């Protein structure tokens, strides 16, 4: 097969990938995948039952010791091959992402590159699993500390980055010597199935990666979290669902990594370079059409530059070309579904009702597809819902502040703490703000923080644990201490 027809919707395997084989759901159930830009079905894939889930756990448990016993260099080389295959098939994978998720093709290409980079990064990390050795303070023995794979890991991923959220978990797990069961979001199973094909072709042994699309996620994941063979849960999604899964994981004391919701503040101080601030606001707000947990959710602009910042930002937002993500030049696709769009439009109406000034967009266009216009609201009261809830859409509410202390207090006035953005030309003020902000990540004069080589994760109710960087490996490794005499 040529690179072009690989990973088309038609050529893709659409069954469950369990133990290195493709098979239908035990009860033959299927689920429909829609193109959110046309609201039309594009494919049907198998819909995993609890029985299928248990079969995948059994396959993973059987395969895991053999995989862990492979030399780290070999595990790394398999991951490296998977990286190369993703790069080779970048265009086809990007089209698949656009079809089921709706994002513009340029964004899908960027996601494939980002997703592949996790595999390259962790292919390099596979050979850097290190322990420690010391002499006990009493001198009586040695303290030897080694790191070993945690075992079978269960992954639950969202629809907003269908490739990257999978590789960000599978990369470190495989590098560490774990076997995995992945349940992608029901909205975007095709990319996950394509990833299964990539891992298979890269030489991942059967059972080490299992992929189970399912629309019965609460039933399926609930049952799997009762199974003591699952030793690790990594979830990316909403804080509400994360809370449910943490409760379920508590029964068997399963180790958890949680990447949950965000409510990122974007602060623009009077001394900021406004050209840089607007360019970075566009990235921080509009990456993935605002459907990202790292999206700038609340803009705080200092009084001296607030009106000018809002004017320039609104101008840039009005320039965005919206349409089907596969069309030339399109920068913004639809939201994922009707529910997401009605939530966004309610938040905008409420803010306008509360006195916010509409500077761009503000409505859903007529016709098919879950589109919503790039929208800027100015002079929004900080207690409006649009400043408090995760918008998950192309809407930027801007509030005005006066002092540095006020900006920090506003930024921290939330139970979430994933990422924050700060714009200033004063390096002292910038670093001071970075230190005072309660978040796992800060973008300083920059609208994009995500990087496979950096520790991604949140404070407060935005999550537990880190993904990416060397820290991302540690989530899949258990520590063993050996008290040794020799
Ligand atoms: P989103 O709003 O992004 O869809 P969710 O947290 O609802 O965020 O979904 C993220 C992932 O969690 C998806 O794979 C979804 O199918 C799954 N999910 C949602 N609810 C549950 C649940 N109760 N138990 C297990 N998985 C769930």
């Amino acid at each position: 097969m040529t690179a072009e027809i690989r990973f088309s919707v038609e050529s893709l395997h659409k069954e469950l990938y369990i133990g290195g084989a493709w098979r239908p759901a035990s009860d033959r159930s299927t689920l429909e995948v829609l193109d959110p830009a046309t609201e039309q079905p594009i494919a049907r894939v198998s819909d995993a039952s609890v029985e299928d889930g248990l079969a995948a756990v059994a396959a993973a448990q059987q395969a895991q010791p053999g995989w862990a016993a492979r030399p780290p260099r070999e595990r790394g080389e398999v991951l490296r091959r998977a990286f190369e295959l993703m790069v080779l098939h970048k265009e086809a994978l990007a089209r698949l992402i656009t079809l089921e998720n709706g994002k513009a093709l340029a964004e899908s290409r960027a996601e494939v590159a980002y997703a592949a980079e996790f595999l390259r990064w962790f292919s390099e990390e596979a050979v850097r699993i290190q322990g420690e050795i010391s002499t006990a303070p009493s001198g009586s023995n040695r303290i030897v500390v080694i790191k070993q794979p945690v075992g079978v890991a269960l992954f639950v991923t969202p629809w907003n980055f269908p490739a990257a959220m999978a590789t960000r978990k599978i990369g470190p797990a495989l590098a560490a010597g774990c076997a995995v069961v992945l349940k992608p979001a029901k909205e975007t199973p095709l990319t996950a199935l394509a990833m299964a094909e990539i891992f298979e072709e890269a030489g991942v042994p059967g059972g080490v990666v299992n992929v189970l699309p399912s629309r019965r996620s609460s039933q399926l994941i609930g049952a799997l979290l009762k199974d003591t063979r699952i030793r690790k849960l990594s979830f990316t999604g909403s804080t509400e669902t994360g809370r449910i899964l943490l409760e379920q994981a508590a029964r068997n004391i399963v180790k958890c990594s949680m990447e949950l919701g965000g409510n990122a503040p974007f602060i623009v101080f009077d001394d900021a370079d406004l050209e840089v601030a607007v360019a970075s606001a566009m990235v921080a707000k509009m990456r993935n059409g605002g459907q990202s947990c790292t999206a700038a959710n609340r803009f705080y602009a200092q009084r001296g530059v607030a009106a000018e910042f809002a004017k320039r930002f609104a101008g840039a937002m009005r320039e965005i070309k919206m349409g089907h993500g596969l069309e030339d030049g399109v920068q913004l696709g639809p939201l994922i579904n009707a529910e997401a769009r009605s939530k966004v439009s309610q938040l905008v109406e409420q803010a306008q009702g509360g006195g916010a000034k509409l500077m761009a967009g503000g409505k859903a266009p007529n016709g098919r597809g879950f589109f919503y216009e790039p929208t800027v609201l100015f002079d929004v009261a900080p207690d409006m819902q649009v400043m408090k809830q995760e918008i998950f859409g192309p809407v930027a509410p801007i509030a005005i502040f006066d002092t540095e202390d006020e900006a920090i207090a506003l930024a921290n006035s939330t139970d979430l703490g994933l990422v924050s953005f700060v714009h200033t030309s004063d390096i002292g003020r910038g670093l001071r703000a970075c230190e005072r902000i309660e978040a796992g990540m800060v973008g300083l004069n920059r609208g994009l923080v995500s990087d496979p080589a950096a520790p991604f994760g949140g404070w407060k109710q935005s999550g537990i644990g880190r993904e990416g960087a060397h820290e991302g490996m540690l989530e899949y490794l258990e520590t063993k201490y050996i008290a040794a005499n020799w």
Side-chain angles (χ1 to χ4, degrees):
M1 265 196 261
T2 67
E4 281 70 42
I5 61 165
R6 278 299 300 277
F7 306 115
S8 65
V9 172
E10 295 71 32
S11 69
L12 211 60
H13 279 288
K14 296 183 190 67
E15 296 172 311
L16 311 175
Y17 186 61
I18 300 175
W22 297 91
R23 52 160 117 160
S26 60
D27 55 6
R28 304 271 153 176
S29 175
T30 58
L31 71 89
E32 191 169 65
V33 186
L34 293 184
D35 175 348
T38 61
E39 305 180 34
Q40 296 301 309
I42 49 172
R44 267 195 175 277
V45 305
S46 294
D47 166 33
S49 64
V50 168
E51 195 183 324
D52 297 317
L54 294 172
V57 175
Q61 198 204 21
Q62 208 188 1
Q64 194 268 325
W67 177 246
R70 294 274 290 270
R73 177 65 77 203
E74 280 183 30
R75 294 201 302 270
E77 279 169 359
V78 168
L79 281 172
R80 172 78 198 197
R81 275 199 294 281
F83 157 75
E84 284 163 4
L85 285 167
M86 282 194 82
V87 173
L88 177 67
H89 297 294
K90 179 173 171 181
E91 203 54 29
L93 292 170
R95 290 179 71 84
L96 204 54
I97 294 175
T98 291
L99 277 172
E100 64 178 353
N101 165 287
K103 68 176 80 177
L105 194 56
E107 293 236 33
S108 296
R109 291 184 183 122
E111 179 182 346
V112 176
Y114 173 56
E117 197 53 44
F118 281 104
L119 301 180
R120 174 155 66 176
W121 173 263
F122 286 108
S123 77
E124 293 158 351
E125 283 296 293
V127 293
R128 308 198 206 296
I129 302 169
Q130 287 158 357
E132 287 171 10
I133 182 163
S134 61
T135 301
S138 65
S140 61
N141 59 286
R142 299 295 192 281
I143 294 170
V144 180
V145 178
I146 62 170
K147 299 281 181 185
Q148 293 177 290
V150 65
V152 175
L154 175 62
F155 297 153
V156 180
T157 53
W159 46 263
N160 61 347
F161 289 92
M165 297 304 99
T167 57
R168 187 156 89 168
K169 299 182 191 307
I170 296 173
L174 263 51
C178 297
V180 312
V181 176
L182 167 69
K183 191 215 74 70
K186 64 181 183 306
E187 293 84 352
T188 55
L190 300 175
T191 308
L193 294 172
M195 289 309 302
E197 290 191 28
I198 294 227
F199 286 116
E200 183 172 54
E201 196 171 327
V204 173
V208 172
V209 172
N210 303 275
V211 178
L212 302 179
S214 180
R215 60 187 157 87
R216 297 174 271 187
S217 42
S218 57
Q219 210 188 345
L220 173 64
I221 302 302
L224 297 191
L225 286 173
K226 283 192 182 135
D227 190 315
T228 52
R229 292 173 295 184
I230 296 288
R231 300 291 175 77
K232 169 83 193 175
L233 168 67
S234 180
F235 169 75
T236 298
S238 62
T239 297
E240 294 69 37
T241 303
R243 212 183 304 281
I244 294 169
L245 296 188
L246 277 170
E247 277 173 15
Q248 293 176 351
R251 282 186 301 239
N252 289 339
I253 323 289
V254 173
K255 285 181 173 303
C256 290
S257 299
M258 294 273 145
E259 296 293 352
L260 308 178
N263 179 10
F266 188 107
I267 302 172
V268 184
F269 285 109
D270 275 345
D271 55 21
D273 178 331
L274 283 194
E275 206 171 308
V276 172
V278 169
S280 100
M282 290 301 289
V283 175
K285 180 72 254 180
M286 296 305 287
R287 179 164 175 243
N288 220 30
Q291 300 180 108
S292 148
C293 53
T294 53
N297 207 55
R298 316 168 269 152
F299 291 80
Y300 299 115
Q302 203 162 11
R303 193 168 302 276
V305 292
E308 181 62 20
F309 171 72
K311 190 178 120 202
R312 293 200 207 176
F313 188 15
M317 290 284 265
R318 281 194 297 265
E319 294 288 302
I320 286 182
K321 185 173 172 202
M322 186 165 71
H324 195 292
L326 291 182
E327 279 168 29
D328 257 3
V330 163
Q331 296 161 290
L332 176 65
L335 295 174
I336 193 70
N337 55 33
E339 196 188 340
R341 183 175 55 184
S342 73
K343 176 184 152 191
V344 166
S345 89
Q346 271 171 26
L347 288 171
V348 171
E349 278 166 31
Q350 213 180 38
Q352 281 184 275
K357 185 174 166 220
L358 186 68
M359 296 194 60
K363 56 182 196 309
N366 293 328
R368 281 199 178 271
F370 307 116
F371 292 96
Y372 196 86
E373 294 175 346
T375 297
V376 176
L377 295 161
F378 184 52
D379 204 2
V380 182
D383 61 351
M384 297 296 319
Q385 277 307 314
V386 74
M387 302 292 268
K388 290 181 164 172
Q389 273 190 35
E390 198 173 20
I391 302 168
F392 244 63
V395 174
I398 307 172
I400 303 169
F401 72 91
D402 288 296
T403 67
E404 190 176 315
D405 282 349
E406 189 189 348
I408 301 297
L410 284 167
N412 290 340
S413 64
T414 165
D415 288 330
L416 300 171
L418 189 61
V419 63
S420 300
F421 302 93
V422 174
H423 283 73
T424 173
S425 302
D426 176 343
I427 191 71
R429 169 185 263 173
L431 291 175
R432 195 160 60 235
C434 288
E435 277 193 1
R436 293 176 71 191
I437 281 173
E438 297 166 355
M441 302 175 282
V442 189
L444 180 56
N445 294 323
R446 200 180 149 71
L448 179 71
V449 297
S450 301
D451 187 325
F456 185 107
W459 286 17
K460 301 197 273 187
Q461 294 183 27
S462 284
I464 300 172
R466 292 294 177 272
E467 292 195 311
H470 184 66
E471 278 191 61
M473 278 295 287
L474 301 179
E475 305 273 331
Y476 296 92
L477 293 167
E478 276 282 22
T479 296
K480 183 178 285 165
Y481 144 57
I482 304 163
N485 283 336
W486 60 67

